[in-house]
Amino acid sequence: KRIENSTNRKVAIMANILQLAIQNNLKTNSKKLLKSDKHFTKNKKNDTKLIDAHFFFVDIVGLSNHKLSSAEEQITKINQLTKVIKLSKVFKTTNKEEMLILPTGDGMVIGFKNDIESPLKLALELHEKLKAYNRNKRKTSKIEIRIGIHSDPVLKFVDIKDQENFWGEGVITSRRIMDLGNTNHILLSDEIARNLKQLSKYRKILHSIGNTE
């Protein structure tokens, strides 16, 4: 009995010590979390701002269809699309500070802050480069794309990785416009098309396809 009682006391003492340690740890962590949360909220508030830009949204048609290509082939296509875009004249000659870039898994969205022509220039250049790339490829290895172009603001903010990110109407609408297209289509919102048509070089290649919701 004495041994049993002594053991029970030890267990009770250990339990109390453990409980006290947990309580202290929780208090310490709570203070750290509160401090961290205030710091994050402060930084997030300071870093969030509205930016006007002209958006180019591209994805690879049928990339998620596993019947058409394996995961390795899908990654190869994504890497090749990225390579072609990075080697394009528009991308190489644009100051990186003037671009907003966001990978989307099966493509990407790029916002150009100062040049309304850049999204269309990039789209046209990309089509020509992929036409050459696809020429001798079998059907499943070809990279076929669709592109949506739109001008609208986005909010720039700091994400969970403490990296700059952006989201807003510019991204959302350019994605919706792209989703209306089929293989090799380049679709523009009415507003940006009207602005570009003021330049004679675009009048012959831009054609209205009507209204859509």
Side-chain angles (χ1 to χ4, degrees):
K1 287 183 180 179
R2 287 180 182 176
I3 294 172
E4 184 178 344
N5 289 339
S6 176
T7 303
N8 287 340
R9 282 198 298 273
K10 285 181 180 179
V11 170
I13 292 168
M14 287 174 68
N16 287 332
I17 291 171
L18 180 62
Q19 186 177 11
L20 182 62
I22 291 171
Q23 288 174 345
N24 290 337
N25 192 40
L26 284 172
K27 288 178 181 178
T28 303
N29 286 339
S30 295
K31 289 178 181 178
K32 287 181 179 178
L33 285 170
L34 285 170
K35 186 177 180 181
S36 175
D37 185 55
K38 287 178 182 177
H39 178 70
F40 176 77
T41 304
K42 183 180 178 181
N43 285 345
K44 187 175 180 182
K45 184 177 179 181
N46 289 340
D47 290 334
T48 302
K49 55 183 178 180
L50 197 64
I51 299 173
D52 286 314
H54 314 288
F55 287 92
F56 160 99
F57 206 125
V58 60
D59 77 0
I60 300 173
V61 177
L63 187 71
S64 59
N65 189 337
H66 296 287
K67 294 179 181 179
L68 296 179
S69 58
S70 65
E72 290 85 358
E73 288 175 320
Q74 292 168 0
I75 292 171
T76 297
K77 288 183 178 182
I78 293 169
N79 288 339
Q80 185 61 34
L81 176 65
T82 301
K83 180 181 177 181
V84 172
I85 289 175
K86 289 177 75 174
L87 291 175
S88 69
K89 183 180 178 181
V90 174
F91 192 91
K92 289 195 297 183
T93 58
T94 303
N95 189 318
K96 300 305 176 285
E97 296 297 319
E98 299 303 321
M99 288 191 290
L100 302 169
I101 304 171
L102 180 66
T104 59
D106 57 356
M108 69 186 72
V109 56
I110 302 176
F112 296 90
K113 297 179 186 178
N114 293 326
D115 187 5
I116 193 172
E117 293 183 69
S118 288
L120 183 54
K121 284 181 177 178
L122 178 56
L124 295 171
E125 186 178 355
L126 182 58
H127 266 273
E128 288 303 312
K129 289 183 179 296
L130 288 181
K131 187 187 293 184
Y133 175 83
N134 290 334
R135 191 164 292 131
N136 298 316
K137 297 287 189 299
R138 57 191 174 92
K139 177 66 177 176
T140 56
S141 297
K142 291 182 177 180
I143 300 176
E144 297 176 319
I145 59 171
R146 55 185 183 166
I147 296 169
I149 296 174
H150 178 66
S151 296
D152 235 336
V154 290
L155 281 171
K156 192 174 182 181
F157 62 96
V158 175
D159 63 20
I160 195 168
K161 294 181 179 180
D162 289 328
Q163 296 176 345
E164 286 190 345
N165 210 326
F166 58 93
W167 189 251
E169 283 303 316
V171 175
I172 295 167
T173 304
S174 58
R175 174 61 188 263
R176 287 175 178 169
I177 291 168
M178 181 196 70
D179 285 340
L180 295 171
N182 293 319
T183 302
N184 295 327
H185 281 178
I186 301 173
L187 299 182
L188 295 79
S189 62
D190 182 61
E191 181 182 356
I192 195 169
R194 279 190 283 106
N195 288 331
L196 288 172
K197 277 186 175 181
Q198 295 180 54
L199 301 171
S200 59
K201 60 184 176 180
Y202 296 123
R203 287 175 192 164
K204 291 182 179 179
I205 64 172
L206 294 176
H207 307 283
S208 175
I209 60 171
N211 298 323
T212 185
E213 295 295 331

